[in-house]
Amino acid sequence: MKQVRRREIIRAGTTVEQMVRAIADMIVTGQMLPGEKLDEVSLAARFEVSRTPVREALRELGAMGLVDREPNRSAVVTNVSETYLHSMFEAMAELEAICARLSAERMTVDERRTMELEHKASMKLVHAGAQEEYSAHNTEFHTRLYRGAHNDHIFEMVTQTRARLAPFRRAQFRLPGRLAKSYEEHGQIVIAIMRANGSAAARAAYSHVGMVSDASAVFATTGEASARST
C-alpha cells in the first residue's frame, strides 16, 4: 500500500518539486556547502522515493545552477558567487521592468482590479509573519505582472529566469522585516499600474528586484564564507 502511494505522488510531480525546493533551500541557507556530494541513494532514502525522481530533482537543480554533475560522477553542490547571483538579478530587474511597463499599458480593468485586491489582502500575511504563505502570494503577484504584459515571448523568458532565482527569492523572507518591505515595494508597482503609468511601474519594479537582490546576496555571501571556513 505504501509503494502505491509513493508512485502516485511521483506521477503527480509533487515529490520532485518538494525535493527540489527542500534541497535548494538547504543549499541557499548554507546547510549544504559548496563541494558537498549529493548521493542518490542517501537522498532517495531521505525522501522515501526511488532513485528516478532523485535524478530528476538533481537535473532541475543543475538547471538552476545550484548543482554540478559530470558524467559518471556524483552530483556536488556548486558555489553560487555573489557576482554571479548579482548578474542574474540584474537580468531579472530588466525583464520585470519591461513587464511592469507593459502591464501598466496593457492590463485590462479586471486584471488591474484583481492585482490590487490580491495585494491588499496580502497585508494579513505580513501582519501574521506568514513567510511560506507570503512567498506563495509573491510568486502569484509576479506571475500576474508577467501575464499582464500580454507578451508570450517575454513571459517565457522572465519565468525561466525566475525559476533559477526561486530559492534565493524565497530565502529573502527569512530576513527580519522583509515581508513588510516587500509589501511596500509591491504597493508602488500596483499604484503605478492602476494609474496606467508605464515609466513609474518600470522604475518601481526595477527597484523592487534590486532590493530583493540585496537581500538575497546575504545568502550567497553566507555560503561563500561557510565554504572558506571548512
Side-chain angles (χ1 to χ4, degrees):
M1 190 70 180
K2 194 173 183 181
Q3 281 296 108
V4 172
R5 177 175 172 274
R6 287 179 188 171
R7 286 198 296 271
E8 288 174 350
I9 292 174
I10 294 168
R11 267 205 307 273
T14 54
T15 297
V16 172
E17 291 168 9
Q18 289 171 352
M19 279 192 293
V20 169
R21 179 164 178 156
I23 296 170
D25 286 348
M26 285 188 283
I27 292 172
V28 168
T29 57
Q31 296 175 59
M32 288 184 171
L33 301 177
E36 185 172 337
K37 291 184 178 180
L38 298 171
D39 179 63
E40 287 184 7
V41 175
S42 299
L43 289 173
R46 179 172 187 166
F47 291 98
E48 298 186 329
V49 296
S50 69
R51 293 175 66 176
T52 299
V54 171
R55 292 193 192 99
E56 175 61 20
L58 293 177
R59 186 191 67 78
E60 292 188 21
L61 289 163
M64 290 179 180
L66 296 176
V67 168
D68 185 33
R69 187 168 195 173
E70 297 180 4
N72 303 317
R73 302 188 68 177
S74 297
V76 296
V77 177
T78 58
N79 179 25
V80 181
S81 69
E82 187 175 354
T83 300
Y84 181 65
L85 186 62
H86 174 75
S87 72
M88 286 196 290
F89 270 111
E90 186 174 48
M92 191 81 235
E94 296 289 351
L95 289 169
E96 292 222 13
I98 292 171
C99 287
R101 177 176 61 80
L102 292 178
S103 287
E105 297 170 356
R106 299 177 178 179
M107 266 188 168
T108 65
V109 172
D110 285 343
E111 285 175 329
R112 294 173 202 269
R113 184 180 298 115
T114 299
M115 172 171 270
E116 182 182 37
L117 291 174
E118 290 294 329
H119 166 65
K120 289 180 177 178
S122 69
M123 175 53 79
K124 295 180 181 178
L125 303 177
V126 176
H127 286 320
Q131 293 180 15
E132 288 297 320
E133 292 83 353
Y134 188 86
S135 179
H137 158 74
N138 184 62
T139 298
E140 181 62 25
F141 176 88
H142 286 275
T143 299
R144 289 186 188 283
L145 188 67
Y146 309 156
R147 289 289 187 195
H150 293 280
N151 184 304
D152 292 340
H153 185 60
I154 292 175
F155 181 82
E156 182 179 352
M157 287 193 297
V158 73
T159 50
Q160 287 176 348
T161 306
R162 179 178 68 177
R164 299 194 67 177
L165 287 168
F168 292 95
R169 296 186 78 150
R170 282 198 305 273
Q172 66 170 309
F173 299 123
R174 297 171 181 262
L175 300 176
R178 184 57 202 152
L179 291 182
K181 290 180 181 178
S182 174
Y183 179 85
E184 292 173 7
E185 292 157 18
H186 283 183
Q188 294 302 309
I189 297 171
V190 171
I191 289 171
I193 288 176
M194 295 302 290
R195 293 175 178 173
N197 188 332
S199 59
R203 287 195 301 271
Y206 190 93
S207 175
H208 171 54
V209 177
M211 294 294 185
V212 176
S213 176
D214 291 343
S216 301
V218 172
F219 296 97
T221 304
T222 300
E224 289 178 337
S226 298
R228 287 194 296 267
S229 65
T230 56

